[in-house]
Structures are given as structure tokens and as C-alpha cells.
Amino acid sequence: MNYLPTKTRFFALAAIVAVSFAVSACATGPSPRTLVNNDLVGTHTVQYELKKRAVGTSGKFLKAMADSEDDKILYDLWIRVCDINSQDEQVNCQSSTVLEALDMNPGSGSYDLLAARTITTMFWHKENVFYIGYTDPNPKVRRCYVKQNNAMTCQDQANLNSMLTKTVGGKMK
């Protein structure tokens, strides 16, 4: 016995199909971030997270650095900064991309170790200033500031980076 009118059944079925489509689209969407470390910096909690990129050798970044047919898995480094309230709960959390296209397994496959973007060091200078050193393939330094809303703004340090690359005979070493 069917108690719902035909028009109501149609809309209920359409709603179920729409929800199913949305759920399946989310399931095949971007991968979630993976927590790799926690930290307490001043009055903030900080989580370091990696997110896998959907990039292979067809990606623009990889085409420039490799002639391999194999896909390379790259990751983006995200930092999530939160305040701690009087009940010791995390509030006002913001996640920001700090560095993109990292190779977490340099030297694997036919890729050159020096061609990979890898992290060499990272540290907090102050509660709101974070530095990260990386290769791309030359050494570089990026400084990130934690804004009032806990979002981070990052910028490569051009003057410092030019000093990190040694030029010999007109070629960078």
C-alpha cells in the first residue's frame, strides 16, 4: 500500500537522488588533510597537516622537473592555528596553505633528489612568525605571519633567497 501521492513520491525520490549524487561527489572529491604534528606556540595550538595533491606528470609543476612517465605524488603543507579559550577548548581556528607541491619521498623513482620541493627546516620565531626552509630545487626561505583571525600569510624572502644561491661562472650552484 502506497500512502504518498504521486507528486510527493516524485519529489522524495528526486531528493534522494540529489543527496546520493552529492554524497558520491564528495567521496570522490579532494582528499582530506592528514595531521602530522601538533604544537603549542604561545597562546595558540598549531596542527601541521598534509594534503595529497591530484597531480601526476601531466601537472605543470612536474612537467618542468621530470621527464618520467611515472606519476609523482605531491602534498601541500597546511597549518591550522587555533586560540585556546578559558575552558581549554580550541576556538577561532583557521587553516592556511603554507607550502605547495612537496615531495615527501624525494629520490624515489626516476626523479632527481635536487629537483624535488622538500622541506629542510621549519620553526616559530615568535608566536605569530613562522619560517620554513625548503628546496625548489635551490634553497629558499618563506616567512609566514599569523593574522588576527589566525589565518596565515606567507611570502618567500627574495633578498635572503638570492644570497642562498651561489653563482659560479654565471651558473647557479
Side-chain angles (χ1 to χ4, degrees):
M1 294 200 335
N2 201 343
Y3 296 107
L4 293 175
T6 305
K7 193 174 187 180
T8 306
R9 278 193 312 241
F10 173 78
F11 286 117
L13 182 60
I16 291 170
V17 169
V19 169
S20 298
F21 179 77
V23 169
S24 67
C26 290
T28 59
S31 61
R33 294 187 299 254
T34 303
L35 179 67
V36 292
N37 198 11
N38 281 314
D39 210 354
L40 183 62
V41 179
T43 60
H44 296 104
T45 62
V46 177
Q47 290 87 35
Y48 305 87
E49 303 169 326
L50 290 175
K51 182 178 180 183
K52 190 184 293 187
R53 295 179 70 110
V55 176
T57 53
S58 60
K60 188 175 178 182
F61 178 76
L62 286 174
K63 278 288 190 196
M65 71 178 214
D67 293 326
S68 173
E69 296 298 320
D70 300 329
D71 280 347
K72 184 75 165 176
I73 299 172
L74 299 177
Y75 298 85
D76 294 339
L77 175 64
W78 288 69
I79 294 184
R80 183 172 186 252
V81 178
C82 302
D83 293 326
I84 304 170
N85 68 13
S86 58
Q87 289 82 30
D88 290 331
E89 299 169 330
Q90 294 181 358
V91 294
N92 303 324
C93 297
Q94 289 288 335
S95 293
S96 305
T97 306
V98 175
L99 197 58
E100 298 176 331
L102 289 169
D103 182 4
M104 300 310 292
N105 191 16
S108 64
S110 60
Y111 293 88
D112 181 5
L113 175 62
L114 296 176
R117 180 179 280 182
T118 57
I119 296 173
T120 55
T121 188
M122 54 187 194
F123 63 94
W124 288 90
H125 175 65
K126 297 178 183 176
E127 183 176 343
N128 63 341
V129 180
F130 175 76
Y131 284 95
I132 185 165
Y134 65 101
T135 59
D136 187 25
N138 297 319
K140 292 187 179 181
V141 173
R142 180 172 284 188
R143 179 173 33 186
C144 301
Y145 292 99
V146 178
K147 297 184 204 177
Q148 197 76 24
N149 67 353
N150 289 339
M152 295 179 79
T153 302
C154 298
Q155 193 172 32
D156 280 339
Q157 301 300 290
N159 292 338
L160 179 59
N161 292 345
S162 65
M163 291 188 295
L164 292 174
T165 306
K166 183 176 160 184
T167 307
V168 177
K171 294 182 180 180
M172 292 219 224
K173 297 286 179 183

